[in-house]
Amino acid sequence: MPIDRPEAAPAAFAAAWNAHDMVMLAALFDEDATFVNRFGHYVRGVDAIIALHRPIHDTIYSDSTLTNELIDVVPIGEGHAIVHFWSRLAAGAAHPAGPHLVDTLLQAVLARGEGGWLIRAAENVTLTNPRTGEPMLRQDR
């Protein structure tokens, strides 16, 4: 599912995640893209992004699903945009902690290329209580 416009990035990311398809996930990213996961692990390059995600999709997140909701799109010049979206991960029985939910906020920088839009940089932030560090779920969901 290529990204035909920045607004489609959250749905495309969720579709690749929910299919647990690393080829599909890789197709969303620029070859030299960067990714920061929810634990602060930084990687550069689509191969490294897939190497970060493949093991978790083969194990603890093999039965997970992701639901994303667009917050906004901020154009930053011709052919570039910043996309923010809420993400809710529903971990399943394959996770050592059992079924549970994790809410995060993703920021992605996209660039338009010949075949559509590609993610050049993405960062995923877990929603936590700043006083305790305890994970939080968005109360409006």
Side-chain angles (χ1 to χ4, degrees), residues 1-26:
M1 178 177 184
I3 302 172
D4 61 352
R5 61 194 195 298
E7 294 83 3
F13 190 86
W17 183 283
N18 293 336
H20 306 283
D21 184 331
M22 295 302 100
V23 173
M24 191 175 172
L25 186 65

Side-chain angles (χ1 to χ4, degrees), residues 12-128:
F13 190 86
W17 183 283
N18 293 336
H20 306 283
D21 184 331
M22 295 302 100
V23 173
M24 191 175 172
L25 186 65
L28 302 177
F29 289 89
D30 178 81
E31 188 65 30
D32 198 34
T34 61
F35 192 93
V36 179
N37 75 4
R38 67 188 186 103
F39 302 107
H41 186 156
Y42 168 89
V43 294
R44 184 180 197 115
V46 72
D47 292 339
I49 293 168
I50 297 309
L52 182 66
H53 286 88
R54 184 180 309 280
I56 60 175
H57 281 274
D58 288 344
T59 58
I60 65 171
Y61 291 147
S62 63
D63 60 351
S64 68
T65 57
L66 198 63
T67 305
N68 291 334
E69 178 185 339
L70 180 68
I71 299 170
D72 65 11
V73 175
V74 181
I76 53 171
E78 185 63 33
H80 294 85
I82 298 171
V83 177
H84 295 97
F85 55 101
W86 299 116
S87 187
R88 173 162 281 174
L89 172 71
H95 196 283
H100 63 281
L101 301 175
V102 177
D103 282 346
T104 63
L105 173 65
L106 276 94
Q107 175 177 279
V109 178
L110 280 70
R112 185 174 44 226
E114 292 178 22
W117 291 79
L118 293 173
I119 300 170
R120 295 273 310 163
E123 183 168 358
N124 193 10
V125 177
T126 302
L127 303 180
T128 60

